Amino acid sequence: MNKTEEKIKALAAENPVSNWKEKVAFRKANKATLRQAAKVALRLLDALEEKGWSQAQLARELEVTPQQVSKWVKGEGDFKFSTIDKLEKVLGITIHVVLAEDEFVTTEEAFEARINEEVMAYHQRWTMTQEYLKLKNQVTNPQTVMAVSHADKDVIAMAG
Amino acid sequence: MKAKFSPLQLLDFKLLESHFEFLVTEESEIDIKELFQSYSVDIDFGIRNNEEAQEIQLFTMIQVNSGEEDSLPGYKIMVEGGGTFRIQNPEALEENLKNNLTQFSTLNMMINNLRNIIYQITNLGPMGGYLLPPIDITQLLRDKAERKK
């Protein structure tokens, strides 16, 4: 039986030789870790592109095997602090940040949106203030402001 | 007792200008309460009914003890504020009530806010906080109407 025949036989078998169930279970159990690893992988690929380096070159710089680097960029890395430190130094990037209680991470877009919101709010406040100042300039000319009536009946607020 | 909200809404209030001065006196014994009571109070205001936006804008200025030559010792204060109000469902209100809300209540609220500001400013002063005495709003509105004539 040649290799192709073996493969077909395995696929047609009642209990095919496949560990997909284990893989799914692993992904479920390590969801958060895998997400972090994927983020680091994307960051590494970006940094390599920016520097114009190959994965092999990075492996040489860090004195690790190319297979190791390949694992990292596939999102299968589980990093030690010492490895992260080396990667950050060699690539000139930040991978790991520990935030204090009152610190938060924001993206440039979110930051810009917040600034825009503040500018809009200031603009609205200023528009309103301008209206008041216009009214202030008219106070000395009673013809331009709304007439006030005597309203002797049903007076509610006698003192204020 | 559960409070019912008024159809009059205060949408905005801004302090536009404030001046504070402390006039030193040579007298060593001063009855501060009596002094405060003898302060003159000047109030001016302007109301504008923005029918398009269904908003009422009110500018109010309060001057305390600010006669040009005969100011008494202690505080000389001027505060100016602007406020924006709106009446919810004005069609459902009687004309008298609507007028009361538009003129009396708005001015009343403005004076209250400015009273609070005056107190906060003077509270840091040597004579302590000055509380603007209650103002006869009816008379204020009457004077304004007279001036228009």
Side-chain angles (χ1 to χ4, degrees), chain A residues 124-160, chain B residues 12 14 16-17 44-49 57-59 80 82-84 96-97 100 103-104 108 111 115 134-138 141-142 144-148:
Chain A
Q124 277 171 353
R125 281 200 299 271
W126 177 231
T127 310
M128 219 139 208
T129 308
Q130 274 178 318
E131 290 297 313
Y132 298 145
L133 292 173
K134 254 191 246 167
L135 199 50
K136 174 185 173 178
N137 292 331
Q138 292 170 349
V139 162
T140 45
N141 180 2
Q143 298 302 322
T144 57
V145 295
M146 196 180 100
V148 292
S149 59
H150 279 248
D152 285 330
K153 286 177 190 171
D154 299 325
V155 172
I156 291 172
M158 285 294 287
Chain B
D12 181 63
K14 296 220 169 359
L16 299 173
E17 203 172 326
D44 202 356
F45 63 94
I47 306 177
R48 184 168 49 210
N49 204 346
Q57 282 172 330
L58 178 53
F59 164 82
E80 280 180 4
T84 302
N96 271 343
L97 177 60
N100 268 317
Q103 299 179 7
F104 286 81
N108 189 9
I111 291 174
R115 175 183 287 119
I135 304 296
D136 185 338
I137 308 269
T138 315
L141 289 165
R142 203 167 284 166
K144 196 75 182 177
E146 287 300 318
R147 245 166 75 180
K148 189 170 165 61

Side-chain angles (χ1 to χ4, degrees), chain B residues 70-124:
Chain B
D70 52 354
S71 291
L72 294 168
Y75 301 130
K76 191 174 171 178
I77 311 148
M78 187 281 270
V79 285
E80 280 180 4
T84 302
F85 302 84
R86 182 185 289 150
I87 296 178
Q88 265 189 328
N89 298 326
E91 314 81 39
L93 301 175
E94 279 178 31
E95 205 55 34
N96 271 343
L97 177 60
K98 209 157 68 182
N99 275 344
N100 268 317
L101 291 172
T102 314
Q103 299 179 7
F104 286 81
S105 303
T106 51
L107 189 56
N108 189 9
M109 281 161 83
M110 290 297 289
I111 291 174
N112 273 328
N113 279 355
L114 292 171
R115 175 183 287 119
N116 191 23
I117 289 168
I118 291 173
Y119 184 78
Q120 283 181 35
I121 295 171
T122 52
N123 205 22
L124 299 166

Side-chain angles (χ1 to χ4, degrees), chain A residues 21-86:
Chain A
K21 268 189 181 173
E22 287 78 8
K23 275 184 187 168
V24 169
F26 176 81
R27 294 195 82 80
K28 261 189 177 176
N30 299 284
K31 210 173 167 185
T33 313
L34 289 170
R35 200 180 297 140
Q36 293 292 340
K39 272 191 208 167
V40 173
L42 288 172
R43 188 73 191 95
L44 288 181
L45 286 169
D46 277 349
L48 288 176
E49 198 180 317
E50 272 168 35
K51 278 188 152 331
W53 284 10
S54 64
Q55 291 178 28
Q57 197 169 344
L58 178 62
R60 278 197 300 278
E61 291 285 340
L62 293 173
E63 296 172 342
V64 295
T65 61
Q67 288 80 5
Q68 187 62 54
V69 174
S70 167
K71 230 176 148 186
W72 294 341
V73 298
K74 278 184 192 161
E76 295 167 3
D78 198 350
F79 300 91
K80 283 186 198 166
F81 280 121
S82 56
T83 314
I84 289 173
D85 188 43
K86 277 183 201 164

Side-chain angles (χ1 to χ4, degrees), chain B residues 9-73:
Chain B
Q9 297 175 313
L10 173 63
L11 303 178
D12 181 63
F13 174 82
K14 296 220 169 359
L15 176 69
L16 299 173
E17 203 172 326
S18 70
H19 292 291
F20 165 84
E21 209 178 315
F22 182 73
L23 307 172
V24 183
T25 173
E26 298 296 317
E27 285 177 56
S28 54
E29 281 182 27
I30 281 188
D31 183 338
I32 293 179
K33 205 175 161 189
E34 200 178 301
L35 177 71
F36 283 176
Q37 277 170 356
S38 42
Y39 280 169
S40 64
V41 176
D42 260 36
I43 298 181
D44 202 356
F45 63 94
I47 306 177
R48 184 168 49 210
N49 204 346
N50 185 344
E51 278 171 21
E52 201 182 310
Q54 291 201 317
E55 285 174 2
I56 302 149
Q57 282 172 330
L58 178 53
F59 164 82
T60 311
M61 177 187 66
I62 300 180
Q63 288 179 305
V64 178
N65 190 32
S66 63
E68 289 199 352
E69 284 168 11
D70 52 354
S71 291
L72 294 168

